[in-house]
Amino acid sequence: MDTRTLEHRVLLGNEAISRGLVEAGCQFMSAYPGTPSSEILPAVVRYRAELGVDFYAEWSTNEKVALETALAAAYTGKRAAVAMKQVGLNVAADPALSAAYIGVAGGLLLIVADDPGLHSSQTEQDSRLFALFAKIPALDPASPQEARDMVARAFELSERHQVPVLLRPTVRVCHSEQSIACGPVVAPLRPADFQKNPRRWAATPAARMQLHRELNLKLAAIEDEFAAWPGNFAIPARDAARPAPLGIVAAGVCFSHLSDVLESVGLAGRLPILKIATPYPLPRRLVADFAKGCERLLVLEETDVAVEMQIRLGIPVWGRLSGHVPSHGELTPAVIEGLVAAAAEQAGLPARQRPPNPLREAVAALQLPIRRPTLCPGCGHRAVFYELRRAFPDALFPGDIGCYTLGLNQGAVDTVHDMGASISMASGFYHAYKQDGRTPPIFATIGDGTFFHSGAAGLENAVYNGARFVLLVLDNGTTGMTGAQPTPEAGATADGHPGGIVSLVNLIRGCGVGYVEQADPHDLAGFQRILLDALDHSRAADGGIAVVLARYVCVTEMKGLAAGQQPIPVEVRHAPRPRAADAAGPLDAAWMPRHVDRVSPCAEACPAGNDIERLMLLAGAGRLDEAAHLLYEEHPFPATLGRVCPHPCETACNRTALDGALSINAIERAAGDSGRSAAHWVTPGAPTGRRVAVIGAGPAGLTAAYHLARRGHGVEVFEALPEIGGMLRWAITEYRLPPAVLGRELDVFARLGVTLHTGMRLGDNLAWRALDDFDAVYLATGAWQQRALGLPGEDCGRVGFGLDFLRQVRSGNAPRLGARVAIVGGGNTAIDAARTARRQGAAIDVYYDVLLAIPEEVDAARAEGIAFHEAIVPAGFEPQPDGSVRVLLRPLAARAPQGATSRPFHTESRSADQVLVCIGGDADLGYAPAAGLPAGRRIAVDAWGRTADPRIFAGGDASSLGAGTVVGAINAGKRAALAMDERLGGPAIAAEAMQFARGPGVVSCAAAPRNAQQKAAPGPQEVRLTYFRRRPRTPSPHRAPQESIRDFGEVNFGLDPAGATAEAGERCFHCGVCTHCDICLDVCPTRAISLADGRYRIDPAKCTGCRLCAAECPRSAISMPQTGSCVACGYCTTWFECPSLLRAPDGLVSIDERTCIACGVCIQVCPQGAIRPRAGGMEVRP
Amino acid sequence: MKCQTVIAGIGGQGVLFAAKILTEIARRREVPVLGSQTFGMAQRGGSVTTHLKMGEFESPLICEGDADLLLALDAVEAHRTLPFLRARGKGGAPACVVNAREDAAFPDPRVAGLVADMGIVVHRCNADREALAMKLPLVANLVLLGFASSRPGFPFAYAEVCEATAALSGPHRTTNLEALERGRALSGP
C-alpha cells in the first residue's frame, strides 16, 4: 500500500485500531469498556458515519457476552471484532478457548489491551500468554500506526486459517497519539450467511479432538507465515563484528522505546535488533536465523515472557527468566535504557550510562503533596462513602471495581477483588462470621454498570444461600470510570440502534430481593436513616438482604450538577480561633468537648417532678420495683397518675419526631401497679414535734401530708366528705381509676402515721379556731362549687352539674338520667360525665367551645358512640310537657340578628332528658374571712404555696397554684410541703437545685442524685434521630367499646410489665443523658476519646476540635460550643476528601474555586459549621 | 525539527486540550508527532501529564532529562515534572512555563539554584487569575499557551497557536481566542 497517497491524521492508538477495523471491512463489533481499551468502540462508531459503512456496534453487558456475540457474527461470514481490557479476557476465557478449536468463518479480531505498570488495572497479566495457552495467534503492535496496519492483515489471516486472532496493544499504544495514514474502506462487506455444520459449530468431545488436531496444523502453518510478516524484521548492527556479542529481540512497544534510547547510551547502530510483531506462534526459524549472528540474546517484551519462553537455542537468552529484565512493572524507555546498557556492558560492549539526574533528587526532597486518585468534586459516591464510614465505623465494606473503588480513601471500602466480588464476598463474610455466632454489619458497594456486568449472579447466590447484608448499588446512570458508556438501563446503545431498557430495580427484585429502597445520598442524615432501616431489615427475623439503590448523576458526564439541582456555592468561614493561646495549638478547654448530662425534656415537662429519664432506665432494665421506688420519692400516686395524668411528658417527648412519643404514662402505671407499694418504701421521719393541719384530702392535700409526714411532722388531715381522695375518689370515674388501685395507694397514709379525719368541713363542723394549735395549715379544699351557664331555663329541673352526677355515681346513689343526655363542656369532667352516663345506656351529645380533655379520653368516648359537637353551645333550655328539655343551640361564633324575640337566639335545638353542665368550678372559700384571707375565687399563693400569712399555705384547685389537673395538685402539694418544712425548721428551699431546668417539677430532696442537671433539655433538633431504629409506640390494650359501655370495669388495661419494659428499654432516647453507647468513641476521627473507670476521657493532645463527637452524640449529652469557623482540624479533607477542599500547611481549609461545582454537601459535613453557603463574592482568608 | 514537550497539570484543567493544540500545530507543519497521555481513575483533581514528541521518534514516552519544554498548569505539578527537563546543551536552553500565583515560590528555593545552573529558562504567569476574571476557570490552559507562545524562544508561534486553537474550538472559538490574547498580553508588548 502506498501510504503517501493517504490522508494523515493524528490519532490515538485506539482510534487507529478503529480506523483499521472500518477500513478492513469489519462490520460488527462488541465490546465491554475497560481502560485502556475503551476508546476503540466509540471511534468505530464515528468512522462508521464518516465512511458510510453499515456497521453494527454494541456495548455488551460483559466480556464473555461480547465475545460470544461477535463469534456468532463471524460464524455468518462477516468480519467481526471484540474489544476489552486484559482482565476482561479472564471473564471471556471460556468462549475464547473454544473459539480457537471451533474457529470462525468470517475474520474475528479479539482486541485485548494490556496495562503494564498497572495504570488502571488489577493485574499485569500478559494476554499474549493467554493466547499461547488458548492457542490463538497473537499480534503485538509497536505503535498506533502498526496497530492500524495490522488489522486488515489480521482479518485476512483469520479468514484464511479460520481462527480468531488476538490483537494485543499495550497502554502505550492505546493511549499514544501518532500521525496515522488513513484510507478508504478496502475490503468488501459481506452478507450474513451462516453455513450449518453441527460437527463444527456444535462439536462434541470426539469432534473436538479432530478440531484440536486441525488447530495445531493451522498454528504450524501460521508460524511459517509469520517468518515473512512485515512487522517482523531484523536491523543489523552497523559495525559488522560477527557474531555480535549481544543481539536484542524486541517485541511490541519495547522496540519503539529501545529505538529512542540507544543513542543516549552510545549503542546506536552497535547492536543487531530483531523486531517481533507476532509473539505467538513465534516464528522460531526467523529468530534462529537472527541468533546465528549473535553470541547471546536479550529479549525485551511486555508484560511477561511469551517470546522468551518460546526461544530454544544453543546460546544464552537473557530476559525475565534470567533476571536481566525486571519481572514486574512497565518497561519504560528509562528502564530499557538502563537494562540495555547494563546487558551490553555485561556482554563486553562498552556503553554510556546516563548520569544521575540532579533535579530528580532535589524534587524528591521537596516532598510534594501526592495527588492520589480521588472522586470528582460533587460526585455522589463521595456522599455515600462518607455516610457509610461515619454511621458504621465498625462495619465490613466489601467493595467493587469502578470509580467507587476510591471509597478506599474514605475508609468505606475494605476489599476490592474483581468485578461483582463485592456481593459474593459480602455473602462469604456473613456466613464465616455467622458460623461463630457473630453478625457484624456488612455493607457491600457496587456500581450500576458493574452490577449489570456481573453482580446478579452473586446476588442470586446470596439470596439463595440465606446471606444477610446491605447491598448499596451506586447508580449514577453510567459506566463512569471508563468514560461514561451507557448502561443497559440508560436506553441508549453504542451506535444508536434501537434497544431495550433493563430496569435495575426489577433485576434486583428478580434476583429474589424483596427489600429495595431508593435513596439520594446528598441528604446525609436522611440517607443514614435509610441505611439504618436497611441494616435492620438485614438483621430482622423475617428480613433478608436489603438493597439500597443510591441514585444521582455522574457529574463528570453531566459536566456539572444534575438538571434542576440548585448550585450551592460554599465558603469556609475563617475567624481567629476562639480563646486559644496559639492559633495552631489545641483549643481552649471551654471549646473542647465535655460529657455533661442535661435534663431530658420529659423530666423538664413533668409537674410531679419525676425523673422520667431514670424511670425509663430502670423500667427498661425490667426493674419496675425500683422504678416504683423512684416515683414514690416524689409522690404517692404513680398507679393513679399512670391512669389519669394528661402526661405533658409525652407531649415533650422527642420521639414524637420519629415514630410517636414514648408511652411514659403507661410505664409509670406499670411501675405503680407491679412494684411494691409506697407502704413498703416509705417511712415517717424522725418526729420534729411540729404539727401541720391539712384541710382537704385530695391529691394536693395528700401529697403535702405525704412529704410532711416523711419529714417527721405530725400531720392531721381534715376531709369534708366521708372518704379521702378528693377528686380522685369522687370525680374521676371507676372505669378510669378503679377504687382498688386508689385504695392501695391511699394505704400509705396509715403507715406514715397521718391522722385522717373525715366528715369535717372547715367553717362547718370544723372551726378555724380549732386549727390554732397547728404550726402550719395547708388549705387544699378544692373547687367543688360548680359554675352555671346563666342561660334562660337553666333552672327547669332538667339541667344539673356533671360533677354532682359523678359524685352521686361514686357514692352508689346514681340517678337515672333518661335516654338522651346532653353534656355541656369540653374538659375531663365533661368526658367522665358523658362516658358514665353512656354506661347507663343513654345516648350522649357533648357541646363544647374548646376541647381541653385528655385526647385519649376523647377518642375512647367517640369509640363508645358519644357524639361531639365542636363550637356549638347552648343558648337556653325549654322544658317540655313530657318531662324532657329542649336544648336551644347556636354556633359559638354566630351573632343574634337585630330585633328582640321572646326566645333566645338559636339556630337549632335538640331534645334531651337531662343536661349536665361541666364548665368548671370555683373554690368555696366561706372560711376565708375567719382565716384572715382575702375573699375571692381562689386563694392567692406564691410558687411554693405560701399565703400572706406565714402559717397558712394553700394549693390545688382552691388556690392559684396547681389548679385543674391531678398532677398540678401533686406539684402544688409537694412544693407546699417543702415550704412548710422550711418554715418548721427543715432545710431551706434551693429552688435552683430542685427544679428540672425551666420546668414546673421539683424534686422532693435537694440531695437527689440528678438535682445538679440544670442545663436545658435538648430539643428534637439536638437529638440525632437517625441513630434510633423505628419502633412504633406500644399501644395499651383497651376493652372493646361495645363491651366497655356495659359496666364500670377498667377500659384501659395499660402495659404489662414485659410490655412496659420493652417500651422503655427499646424506645427511650435518654435525651441529654449519656448512656455509654460508645458512639463518641467510635466516631472520633483521631481516637481522642477513651473509656476509663466507666468515664469517657478526652485526650487534649489528640483532640483536633472537629466537634464530630458532639454533633454525633445521639442524645446531645456532649457539650461543645460550635465555633462557626474553621479550626484546622482536617476532618473534612480526611473523611469527606473532596479535592475542592484545599488544606493549607497551617491546617486551615479553603474552597478551590477552579474545581468546586457547588454541590453544597460539605456544608453538612463540618461539625463546627465553618462551611456554609457563600454569602457572595470570593472567599477571603485572613 | 525535534522537540519533546511535557505538559502537566491537574485533572480538569485542560491538559489534554493544550496537548491537542500543539499536536494540531505539528500536523499543520507536517512534522511527525507522537504523544502519550495519562488516563486512569483520576478524572478530576489528580495529577495529569502528557508527553508530546515532534520529529523522528519511535517511542511515545519522554525520558527524564530529555524534555525541551515543560508547560505546567499548576505549580506543584510543575515541580513534580521538573526532572523531565534537560540541561542547556546543543538544542539551546530548555524552558519551563508555569501557571503560578505571584506570591507562590517558583521554583522552590531548594531547587531554584539547580534550575538556574542547568540553564532552564523559567517563564511564569498567573493564568488562573485571568481565567477567573473571564469567569471561565477552565481556560487557564489557553491563557498559559497564549503567554508562552509570545515569549522569545518558544518553539510554537502565537499565530500558529491561535490558528490551531480556532480550528479545534468549535462553538468556544471566541472565548478561547480571548483567553490566548489575555495570555499574550501578560507576556508584554
Side-chain angles (χ1 to χ4, degrees):
Chain A
M1 193 183 303
D2 182 359
T3 54
R4 282 171 305 178
T5 62
L6 301 177
E7 180 199 359
H8 280 76
R9 294 188 188 181
V10 178
L11 298 184
L12 209 54
N14 281 340
E15 294 170 332
I17 292 169
S18 310
R19 185 76 196 189
L21 289 170
V22 178
E23 289 177 12
C26 176
Q27 268 188 284
F28 194 104
M29 184 170 179
S30 52
Y32 188 84
T35 310
S37 73
S38 309
E39 297 83 6
I40 300 174
L41 188 76
V44 159
V45 174
R46 289 201 301 275
Y47 297 135
R48 175 190 80 148
E50 181 186 324
L51 297 172
V53 181
D54 182 9
F55 201 114
Y56 173 83
E58 73 168 40
W59 288 120
S60 305
T61 48
N62 67 33
E63 295 86 351
K64 174 182 184 292
V65 170
L67 176 51
E68 290 156 352
T69 305
L71 270 170
Y75 282 10
T76 71
K78 286 178 188 280
R79 287 187 167 181
V82 55
M84 60 194 67
K85 70 182 294 180
Q86 90 281 28
V87 288
L89 182 56
N90 304 338
V91 178
D94 201 2
L97 268 82
S98 278
Y101 280 44
I102 293 170
V104 292
L108 178 73
L109 209 48
L110 177 52
I111 305 164
V112 182
D114 279 4
D115 188 11
L118 296 179
H119 298 274
S120 184
S121 297
Q122 302 102 292
T123 66
E124 279 195 301
Q125 66 192 69
D126 185 340
S127 296
R128 303 171 313 154
L129 279 178
F130 187 100
L132 196 148
F133 158 65
K135 297 195 168 183
I136 296 174
L139 306 177
D140 189 1
S143 65
Q145 181 71 61
E146 185 176 22
R148 178 257 180 206
D149 296 346
M150 271 179 174
V151 170
R153 192 171 288 274
F155 272 124
E156 192 269 328
L157 183 80
S158 171
E159 274 162 7
R160 197 147 35 75
H161 294 282
Q162 301 219 329
V163 287
V165 171
L166 180 100
L167 175 63
R168 194 293 303 251
T170 63
V171 63
R172 295 302 174 194
V173 171
C174 295
H175 285 170
S176 292
E177 284 182 314
Q178 192 177 19
S179 319
I180 299 291
C182 298
V185 177
V186 294
L189 309 184
R190 300 167 195 171
D193 182 18
F194 175 57
Q195 299 292 319
K196 292 196 180 196
N197 179 1
R199 280 191 55 78
R200 181 173 177 198
W201 307 124
T204 54
R208 293 253 178 158
M209 187 62 83
Q210 177 59 28
L211 290 172
H212 191 184
R213 199 174 295 124
E214 288 171 13
L215 174 60
N216 288 335
L217 293 172
K218 289 178 190 174
L219 289 169
I222 290 169
E223 183 181 335
D224 282 346
E225 260 186 57
F226 277 174
W229 185 273
N232 295 335
F233 53 84
I235 305 173
R238 275 199 307 271
D239 54 12
R242 275 181 71 91
L246 181 68
I248 299 183
V249 178
V253 80
C254 292
F255 171 80
S256 302
H257 295 334
L258 178 71
S259 306
D260 278 8
V261 301
L262 282 174
E263 192 174 326
S264 64
V265 287
L267 289 170
R270 296 172 61 204
L271 298 171
I273 297 168
L274 177 63
K275 176 184 175 301
I276 293 292
T278 61
Y280 179 76
L282 183 70
R284 284 170 290 188
R285 190 161 46 82
L286 186 69
V287 178
D289 286 348
F290 173 75
K292 279 179 192 155
C294 305
E295 288 176 4
R296 54 187 70 77
L297 295 182
L298 171 67
V299 182
L300 298 176
E301 59 181 325
E302 282 186 325
T303 316
D304 215 303
V305 293
V307 170
E308 187 182 349
M309 69 189 285
Q310 291 181 74
I311 299 178
R312 296 279 186 276
L313 294 170
I315 57 170
V317 176
W318 290 352
R320 289 196 165 87
L321 296 173
S322 68
H324 287 80
V325 176
S327 48
H328 64 271
E330 185 180 4
L331 296 184
T332 60
V335 172
I336 288 177
E337 184 182 279
L339 73 87
V340 167
E345 294 273 1
Q346 195 182 342
L349 276 172
R352 191 169 64 231
Q353 285 282 4
R354 188 190 283 253
N357 183 343
L359 265 177
R360 184 189 193 116
E361 265 181 49
V363 167
L366 296 179
Q367 294 187 309
L368 298 170
I370 293 168
R371 287 188 203 276
R372 59 180 178 181
T374 182
L375 294 167
C376 303
C379 177
H381 296 330
R382 172 174 291 104
V384 170
F385 291 117
Y386 171 76
E387 201 48 54
L388 270 178
R389 172 61 178 68
R390 187 187 60 157
F392 309 99
D394 298 325
L396 296 174
F397 299 117
D400 223 298
I401 306 227
C403 293
Y404 45 87
T405 298
L406 295 169
L408 274 168
N409 296 349
Q410 292 172 269
V413 167
D414 290 330
T415 65
V416 176
H417 202 266
D418 62 290
M419 288 180 78
S422 58
I423 302 176
S424 333
M425 287 196 162
S427 181
F429 278 127
Y430 169 78
H431 290 299
Y433 275 96
K434 183 78 190 328
Q435 201 165 37
D436 300 348
R438 289 189 287 160
T439 53
I442 301 171
F443 291 89
T445 47
I446 188 170
D448 51 340
T450 302
F451 185 82
F452 280 117
H453 176 282
S454 52
L459 190 54
E460 287 160 31
N461 176 68
V463 170
Y464 165 50
N465 283 301
R468 297 295 194 92
F469 54 86
V470 179
L471 171 64
L472 283 108
V473 180
L474 312 181
D475 180 9
N476 58 6
T478 190
T479 314
M481 185 169 70
T482 49
Q485 294 80 14
T487 70
E489 195 168 36
T493 55
D495 61 359
H497 69 267
I501 290 175
V502 182
S503 153
L504 199 48
V505 172
N506 288 349
L507 177 58
I508 292 164
R509 289 195 189 281
C511 291
V513 176
Y515 187 104
V516 185
E517 281 291 324
Q518 304 196 35
D520 176 2
H522 291 97
D523 166 17
L524 295 178
F527 187 59
Q528 187 185 0
R529 173 83 261 152
I530 287 167
L531 293 179
L532 279 162
D533 288 346
L535 182 63
D536 276 355
H537 177 82
S538 76
R539 291 171 155 184
D542 58 347
I545 289 172
V547 175
V548 175
L549 205 52
R551 292 197 133 140
Y552 37 84
V553 302
C554 170
V555 292
T556 295
E557 185 191 17
M558 290 290 143
K559 297 189 165 46
L561 300 171
Q565 191 182 341
Q566 203 55 35
I568 307 172
V570 293
E571 64 181 355
V572 180
R573 183 170 175 265
H574 293 102
R577 302 184 76 198
R579 286 198 256 164
D582 166 16
L587 287 174
D588 184 274
W591 295 83
M592 296 280 280
R594 280 178 304 143
H595 288 77
V596 182
D597 285 355
R598 300 165 69 182
V599 176
S600 304
C602 47
E604 185 180 42
C606 178
N610 289 329
D611 187 344
I612 295 172
E613 185 278 322
R614 174 160 287 197
L615 172 69
M616 294 304 127
L617 192 68
L618 292 169
R623 292 151 66 180
L624 290 175
D625 200 36
E626 288 163 77
H629 185 190
L630 181 77
L631 294 165
Y632 286 129
E633 283 301 315
E634 303 305 331
H635 61 86
F637 295 118
T640 299
L641 269 188
R643 287 170 168 81
V644 306
C645 186
H647 46 69
C649 51
E650 294 186 15
T651 308
C653 180
N654 283 330
R655 185 133 198 152
T656 307
L658 181 62
D659 54 6
L662 197 63
S663 287
I664 300 170
N665 200 224
I667 294 165
E668 180 178 23
R669 168 178 165 167
D673 283 357
S674 59
R676 279 171 288 182
S677 72
H680 172 82
W681 298 108
V682 173
T683 50
T688 61
R690 314 303 290 265
R691 295 175 66 219
V692 180
V694 173
I695 317 300
L702 290 175
T703 302
Y706 179 78
H707 288 298
L708 288 164
R710 292 176 64 203
R711 281 161 175 71
H713 305 302
V715 182
E716 289 187 40
V717 176
F718 300 90
E719 167 58 46
L721 292 168
E723 286 179 49
I724 63 168
M727 288 282 182
L728 300 176
R729 172 68 182 79
W730 300 106
I732 295 174
T733 54
E734 284 185 49
Y735 61 84
R736 284 176 66 199
L737 180 58
V741 171
L742 180 62
R744 181 169 179 260
E745 299 207 315
L746 296 178
D747 284 348
V748 72
F749 293 97
R751 159 96 176 145
L752 286 172
V754 172
T755 308
L756 301 170
H757 308 278
T758 52
M760 296 189 73
R761 182 181 296 274
L762 184 62
D764 191 351
N765 57 352
L766 173 64
W768 181 256
R769 284 191 321 280
L771 304 177
D772 286 349
D773 292 343
F774 291 92
D775 298 298
V777 177
Y778 185 53
L779 297 169
T781 50
W784 291 89
Q785 196 162 311
Q786 296 302 288
R787 276 184 215 146
L789 292 163
L791 294 176
E794 199 170 347
D795 55 357
C796 69
R798 281 290 169 190
V799 182
F801 291 113
L803 192 58
D804 292 343
F805 167 64
L806 289 170
R807 191 166 62 184
Q808 286 163 344
V809 173
R810 293 297 302 261
S811 315
N813 308 318
R816 301 303 299 179
L817 300 180
R820 291 159 301 166
V821 175
I823 307 282
V824 181
N828 285 319
T829 303
I831 308 302
D832 281 354
R835 296 179 70 190
T836 300
R838 182 82 183 104
R839 279 159 175 71
Q840 291 186 343
I844 316 288
D845 288 289
V846 179
Y847 302 98
Y848 63 94
D849 48 2
V850 191
L851 208 49
L852 297 170
I854 300 172
E856 290 95 317
E857 292 298 315
V858 177
D859 293 343
R862 285 189 210 276
E864 289 172 2
I866 292 166
F868 284 81
H869 306 276
E870 183 175 12
I872 302 288
V873 294
F877 306 95
E878 290 176 349
Q880 301 297 305
D882 63 356
S884 68
V885 62
R886 180 148 288 273
V887 184
L888 307 181
L889 296 162
R890 66 173 177 89
L892 184 64
R895 293 181 174 278
Q898 296 286 324
T901 57
S902 57
R903 295 174 77 189
F905 163 69
H906 62 280
T907 56
E908 58 179 317
S909 67
R910 299 272 178 86
S911 80
D913 297 305
Q914 176 71 42
V915 177
L916 294 176
V917 178
C918 315
I919 58 167
D922 294 312
D924 179 1
L925 298 181
Y927 55 80
L933 294 169
R937 279 185 161 184
R938 297 183 194 279
I939 305 168
V941 293
D942 72 1
W944 298 89
R946 302 178 184 106
T947 67
D949 182 336
R951 197 177 68 97
I952 302 176
F953 298 78
D957 284 347
S959 78
S960 55
L961 179 69
T965 59
V966 174
V967 73
I970 288 172
N971 174 276
K974 190 200 295 184
R975 283 172 171 266
L978 294 169
M980 286 185 272
D981 186 44
E982 179 188 54
R983 173 173 157 74
L984 301 179
I989 289 171
E992 290 278 300
M994 292 173 144
Q995 287 172 345
F996 281 97
R998 295 159 300 198
V1002 293
V1003 284
S1004 64
C1005 174
R1010 296 285 175 101
N1011 63 2
Q1013 311 170 355
Q1014 288 311 308
K1015 284 202 67 173
Q1021 282 77 31
E1022 294 172 86
V1023 175
R1024 288 215 42 115
L1025 294 178
T1026 44
Y1027 276 110
F1028 301 101
R1029 308 287 195 271
R1030 280 207 180 80
R1031 188 187 188 283
R1033 174 182 166 103
T1034 314
S1036 294
H1038 283 60
R1039 289 179 82 189
Q1042 63 274 26
E1043 190 190 323
S1044 65
I1045 57 174
R1046 292 196 194 127
D1047 57 38
F1048 284 84
E1050 189 166 23
V1051 173
N1052 181 350
F1053 296 124
L1055 294 178
D1056 61 14
T1061 295
E1063 175 77 1
E1066 293 173 30
R1067 295 193 73 233
C1068 180
F1069 291 168
H1070 297 280
C1071 303
V1073 181
C1074 178
T1075 61
H1076 289 85
C1077 68
D1078 288 351
I1079 282 176
C1080 54
L1081 281 186
D1082 292 340
V1083 301
C1084 177
T1086 55
R1087 301 280 176 212
I1089 307 179
S1090 57
L1091 187 62
D1093 306 328
R1095 288 173 62 87
Y1096 292 117
R1097 291 183 200 288
I1098 292 164
D1099 182 348
K1102 286 187 184 169
C1103 177
T1104 61
C1106 72
R1107 202 177 169 275
L1108 187 66
C1109 54
E1112 288 298 306
C1113 176
R1115 39 193 61 86
S1116 197
I1118 297 179
S1119 158
M1120 183 173 183
Q1122 204 177 41
T1123 60
S1125 62
C1126 181
V1127 296
C1129 63
Y1131 174 69
C1132 59
T1133 49
T1134 306
W1135 295 105
F1136 191 61
E1137 212 237 355
C1138 178
S1140 295
L1141 292 167
L1142 300 178
R1143 193 168 186 219
D1146 61 5
L1148 292 171
V1149 172
S1150 58
I1151 305 292
D1152 184 351
E1153 303 286 344
R1154 298 178 302 180
T1155 56
C1156 176
I1157 66 163
C1159 74
V1161 177
C1162 55
I1163 296 169
Q1164 301 171 61
V1165 169
C1166 177
Q1168 286 287 20
I1171 306 178
R1172 57 187 189 179
R1174 192 166 70 209
M1178 304 296 274
E1179 164 185 342
V1180 178
R1181 278 189 56 178
Chain B
M1 178 240 184
K2 276 182 119 173
C3 179
Q4 304 193 55
T5 305
V6 172
I7 309 177
I10 303 166
Q13 281 192 313
V15 169
L16 298 187
F17 188 62
K20 217 170 160 184
I21 292 169
L22 300 191
T23 307
E24 173 67 13
I25 293 172
R27 194 189 68 80
R28 286 164 178 256
R29 289 186 187 176
E30 296 188 2
V31 174
V33 62
L34 259 175
S36 183
Q37 307 174 355
T38 313
F39 277 62
M41 287 202 276
Q43 301 216 343
R44 274 167 167 268
S47 301
V48 175
T49 308
T50 287
H51 295 183
L52 212 58
K53 294 165 88 170
M54 293 181 194
E56 296 300 325
F57 291 102
E58 299 281 343
S59 165
L61 292 179
I62 297 173
C63 283
E64 283 190 3
D66 281 353
D68 304 290
L69 174 64
L70 169 60
L71 269 176
L73 289 163
D74 177 274
V76 171
E77 297 310 313
H79 278 123
R80 206 190 303 285
T81 44
L82 264 181
F84 278 101
L85 285 173
R86 61 176 170 81
R88 182 203 295 269
K90 59 184 175 195
C96 168
V97 186
V98 62
N99 168 24
R101 279 163 49 152
E102 287 79 359
D103 60 350
F106 190 90
D108 187 287
R110 289 167 288 178
V111 298
L114 203 47
V115 167
D117 291 349
M118 290 174 67
I120 297 169
V121 182
V122 175
H123 306 280
R124 49 184 289 174
C125 75
N126 190 341
D128 279 332
R129 193 184 50 209
E130 297 299 317
L132 285 173
M134 290 175 69
K135 298 199 189 308
L136 291 167
L138 293 180
V139 300
N141 55 352
L142 296 172
V143 176
L144 191 72
L145 266 184
F147 168 78
S149 57
S150 308
R151 306 300 292 175
F154 192 77
F156 308 97
Y158 178 72
E160 275 185 307
V161 171
C162 288
E163 281 167 27
T165 304
L168 296 170
S169 292
H172 304 297
R173 190 172 181 273
T174 312
T175 44
N176 285 355
L177 290 176
E178 185 195 335
L180 289 174
E181 171 56 29
R182 278 178 179 259
R184 196 195 59 76
L186 287 179
S187 180

